[in-house]
Structures are given as structure tokens and as C-alpha cells.
Amino acid sequence: MQKEKIGVLLVNLGTPDSPSTSDVRKYLRQFLMDGRVIDIPFLSRFLLVQGIIAPLRAPKSAKEYAKLWVERGSPLKFYGYDVRDSLQELLGPSYKVALGMRYQNPSIEEALNELKAASVSRIIVISLFPQYASASTGSAVQEVNDVVNKWQVIPSMSYINQFMDHPKFIQAFAENGLKLMETTDYDHVVFSYHGLPERQIKKGSDGNQCQLGSCCNKFHEKNRYCYRAQCFYTSRLLAEKLGLKEDQYTISFQSRLGKDPWIKPYTDEILKDLPKKGIKKVLAYSPAFIADCLETTVEVGEQFKEEFMEAGGEVWDLVPSLNNSPTWIEGLKEMVENA
């Protein structure tokens, strides 16, 4: 009898098919209509997204995506393919690795059908978001389930929903930062994570545990799925690897949208105060993303750098994402084998 093959599904957020305004508008509509991303009633979300955000934001966002695009396309996508292929090579023929995006292409359904066609006996789903959040990991898992639930035969499924403290994940990010630290004497390190509305954190709180304050300074059973607490934990582990003391780094959150309060502190406010404290040379991390994307390369790497310089800063360097780092891919291999 032929040996059973195990399927591995890598899921990331997704990217427009091109930096054209029409493709960006299409992407924004699918992304922002997700009820886990904008968690308000459907009709209100529909009117907001279809009538205001997508039409008005698409032309501006298209210009930002154009800054990101290279000959191979969107880094989020082509690095995704690189990681898929490298992981496949490491795991060998007993596994079948596929890549799916929550929004746009290649879709989660396409990737799952690829695994189905390979007659896999079980599927290990790795959501490529280091810290769990309903709007990212939760949405990806829901989409996977929605697709598989339509199948006549549902294979055994297992999920890796967070890896913010995996040793190889931490090591790979530390290696990228240490390369820059060898060339520049930085005054401070900023760990900037994608933000979330406070209400989403509180919705997922275990027994009202999360108060969005000092409770995030310790990571334990009760707050293991609090996004903010996970980000703080990742930062502490990275700081330890980088040899940083507590006063040598700051944790903050970016990319907020709308008027509702998002988790704090805000990166764009923090960076303007740093030069006033004599902090002129900053190394910036974005450890919520495993591949270069709009939020890292453009927002942190360009926009925040410009704001920091205008505030009196001298150096603002962005640590590259993990992309196709061998250490990172070894970490994924360990996750699969441990699952």
C-alpha cells in the first residue's frame, strides 16, 4: 500500500493582483467586507466599504502598492511561493505543500483543491500570522473550514494558529536585526505591530482578563490569545535575543483606521516623541508580518522614517521581514513535524 501523504496549507493575508486602481479596489472590497476585519453589522459594513472606503481609498492605496511592486510582483506573494517551494524540498515527498491567500489569489479554495487532488490523508494548516487575531488567523481558519465543509470526504485537520514564540521564528528575526546592529550604533529599537480596534481584543478576552494595560506585560494561560499580550511577549523574546534592556526598546501599534480607539501606544505618535528624548537613531521591527508588504516596506520603512526625520531624528532603519530566510523555513519544518 502506498504511504499516506500529508498536506500542508500555508495561508497568508493576500495582495492585489496588480497595483492598478481597479485591482486594489477589488482587493479592498473583499478584505474589508470580511466580518472579522470590520466587525459591524453587514449593512453598515457594506455601505461603509462599498460606498466610502473602497472607492476613495483605492487610488491612494494603488500609488502605495506601486512603490512596493518589483519585477516578480508583490513580495508577499512571491516570497510565499519561495517559502512553499523551500519547505516542500525540506519536508520531502511524503508531504504536499500548498499556498493560499485569504483574499485574492491564489485563493484558499485553490490551494485546498490542490491538496485534495494530491490525495492527502490529513491537512496541517499554518496561518502565517505570528500572533493570533480574529481578523487574521480567525478569518483564515474560518475560510478553510467553509471550503472543506463542502467536501464529501473531510480529512483530518490540524491548525497552527500562532507561533509568536517559536525559537526559530525569534532567531530568524533576531539574525536580521543583528546584521544591521553590527553596522550602526542605534539609540533605540521600536517594535511596531499592526493594530486592532480595542473592541476586538475585548471580545476575545477570557473572562474580561484583558484590560489593554499592564496585564499584557505577562504572558500566561488567561491571555494567550490576547493579540496585544502576544505582541508584548514576542518583543520581550526578541529583545532578549538582541541583548536589549527594558529601556532600550518600545512596543507600539500602527495602521489604525477610523475613529474608534485602537490598541495603544500608536507608532506614529511614539516616533515623534523619541528625538525629544535624545533618541536619534532607531532600528524598527515589524514582527507581525513574515514577509515584506505594504505595512512594513512602505508604512514603517518609508512613511515612519519621513515622520521621524521631520521630528528631528537622524537614522530610521527597518529590519527586513523573514521572507525566505533559511532559519524561518527550518522553523516551519519543525512546526509541521511537531504537528
Side-chain angles (χ1 to χ4, degrees), residues 27-301:
Y27 169 77
L28 288 175
R29 282 176 170 159
Q30 185 186 10
F31 173 41
L32 298 175
M33 278 305 296
D34 187 335
R36 285 180 178 266
V37 174
I38 298 183
D39 55 334
I40 60 177
F42 175 81
L43 181 58
S44 299
R45 185 168 68 251
F46 181 87
L47 294 173
L48 178 66
V49 173
Q50 305 288 0
I52 299 175
I53 298 179
L56 297 180
R57 195 174 176 184
K60 181 181 177 181
S61 293
K63 292 178 181 177
E64 300 302 302
Y65 275 107
K67 298 176 185 177
L68 182 72
W69 234 255
V70 295
E71 188 175 346
R72 292 183 69 192
S74 166
L76 187 77
K77 184 181 289 188
F78 67 71
Y79 280 127
Y81 285 132
D82 289 349
V83 169
R84 177 200 64 185
D85 295 345
S86 296
L87 182 60
Q88 179 69 72
E89 186 176 353
L90 280 182
L91 289 170
S94 297
Y95 293 84
K96 171 64 178 176
V97 184
L99 173 71
M101 299 294 186
R102 176 61 185 90
Y103 312 107
Q104 298 303 290
N105 302 299
S107 70
I108 286 174
E109 185 169 16
E110 288 175 48
L112 282 167
N113 285 336
E114 190 180 334
L115 297 180
K116 185 180 181 182
S119 301
V120 299
S121 60
R122 57 176 296 212
I123 297 175
I124 300 169
V125 181
I126 306 180
S127 297
L128 296 174
F129 313 106
Q131 301 82 19
Y132 177 92
S134 171
S136 53
T137 310
S139 178
V141 169
Q142 181 174 323
E143 179 67 11
V144 169
N145 289 336
D146 287 348
V147 172
V148 172
N149 285 343
K150 298 173 187 174
W151 293 358
Q152 190 66 33
V153 177
I154 298 177
S156 174
M157 307 283 293
S158 59
Y159 300 88
I160 297 172
N161 286 352
Q162 56 181 196
F163 50 85
M164 76 287 172
D165 58 347
H166 191 281
K168 289 287 174 66
F169 165 72
I170 297 296
Q171 181 184 337
F173 252 131
E175 287 172 355
N176 287 355
L178 287 169
K179 291 174 185 175
L180 291 171
M181 292 172 76
E182 288 173 358
T183 63
T184 303
D185 186 16
Y186 296 101
D187 301 322
H188 203 72
V189 174
V190 171
F191 297 110
S192 181
Y193 295 83
H194 198 287
L196 287 175
E198 290 183 354
R199 67 175 182 274
Q200 292 189 8
I201 301 290
K202 291 178 178 177
K203 274 184 181 181
S205 178
D206 185 349
N208 296 319
Q209 166 73 25
C210 197
Q211 300 301 312
L212 300 170
S214 60
C215 54
C216 293
N217 292 337
K218 292 185 179 180
F219 190 68
H220 48 76
E221 187 72 14
K222 287 286 187 180
N223 68 1
R224 69 189 185 282
Y225 285 112
C226 168
Y227 176 77
R228 190 171 183 269
Q230 293 171 77
C231 293
F232 275 57
Y233 187 40
T234 296
S235 300
R236 291 195 297 272
L237 293 173
L238 269 171
E240 185 179 344
K241 275 284 184 183
L242 296 172
L244 301 176
K245 298 177 182 177
E246 194 172 336
D247 63 350
Q248 292 178 304
Y249 66 93
T250 297
I251 304 164
S252 58
F253 300 89
Q254 65 187 78
S255 310
R256 64 188 185 278
L257 176 69
K259 296 180 180 179
D260 288 347
W262 283 44
I263 51 177
K264 300 177 183 68
Y266 300 142
T267 306
D268 58 346
E269 293 181 358
I270 286 290
L271 63 84
K272 293 172 185 175
D273 287 334
L274 294 177
K276 299 174 186 176
K277 300 174 182 177
I279 296 172
K280 301 294 183 74
K281 298 179 181 180
V282 169
L283 182 65
Y285 263 96
S286 199
F289 302 93
I290 52 85
D292 292 336
C293 58
L294 195 69
E295 290 81 0
T296 62
T297 305
V298 177
E299 187 174 10
V300 180

Side-chain angles (χ1 to χ4, degrees), residues 296-314:
T296 62
T297 305
V298 177
E299 187 174 10
V300 180
E302 296 181 14
Q303 294 174 7
F304 287 171
K305 179 177 183 176
E306 184 178 339
E307 293 173 21
F308 182 67
M309 297 302 189
E310 288 176 357
E314 297 174 0

